[in-house]
Amino acid sequence: MASPKKRFSYKGVWVNMFGLNSPRPTAQRPARKPAQIKRHYLRSFAATGKPDAPRNLLLMYDIPHARKKDRDWFRRQLKALGFIMIQKSVWVGPGPLPKDFHDYVKSIGIENEFKTFKLAKAYPSSTSGART
């Protein structure tokens, strides 16, 4: 009775007993599934108000690192909506947020990752010169 050849794998490469490459026979090679391309395009939003609108909305968020793509998209959209960054996750800008933006954020599942606060006094604009 003939015993089957002993096969070794080193770092994902099939090798013989001397450690030299030994290609796997095509009969043993599993059929590859076609690559499934997941295309997830995030929507863009633009500011609808005046460029000199008072910045009276404070927005704080904490989107986990596992959702880095969504977090980067969120930052870009805040910038497009006229927000300025105070800290990495604290932004201030004109309020309120557009309804379609808020609905879209709900649809991608990050509505619980940020909070908004209405400021009693507008945040000073960087174009106003000296702050008092």
Side-chain angles (χ1 to χ4, degrees):
M1 184 164 143
S3 64
K5 283 178 109 177
K6 194 150 189 168
R7 305 210 34 94
F8 302 99
S9 175
Y10 177 72
K11 293 188 177 181
V13 177
W14 290 100
V15 295
N16 62 16
M17 61 188 239
F18 299 110
L20 302 172
N21 283 348
S22 173
R24 180 190 268 185
T26 56
Q28 293 180 359
R29 186 172 292 159
R32 288 187 176 193
K33 295 178 183 176
Q36 294 180 353
I37 300 172
K38 182 180 176 185
R39 296 197 172 154
H40 181 65
Y41 295 109
L42 297 171
R43 207 172 138 201
S44 294
F45 295 89
T48 56
K50 299 174 186 173
D52 59 343
R55 291 184 165 94
N56 57 358
L57 185 71
L58 181 71
L59 187 139
M60 301 168 70
Y61 67 91
D62 185 22
I63 300 173
H65 185 70
R67 301 198 64 180
K68 185 177 187 311
K69 183 177 180 179
D70 294 331
R71 187 178 59 206
D72 293 341
W73 170 84
F74 193 71
R75 282 188 192 129
R76 283 192 306 273
Q77 296 312 306
L78 289 178
K79 200 176 251 189
L81 290 170
F83 280 73
I84 57 172
M85 182 171 55
I86 297 174
Q87 287 185 350
K88 195 76 167 173
S89 62
V90 180
W91 293 66
V92 67
L97 290 172
K99 182 174 175 12
D100 57 342
F101 176 77
H102 197 61
D103 292 342
Y104 186 71
V105 165
K106 274 187 181 178
S107 72
I108 62 173
I110 60 173
E111 76 276 5
N112 294 327
E113 308 296 335
F114 70 94
K115 297 280 184 196
T116 58
F117 302 94
K118 185 80 168 172
L119 297 176
K121 187 176 170 185
Y123 189 80
S125 176
S126 61
T127 60
S128 66
R131 294 182 182 165
T132 57

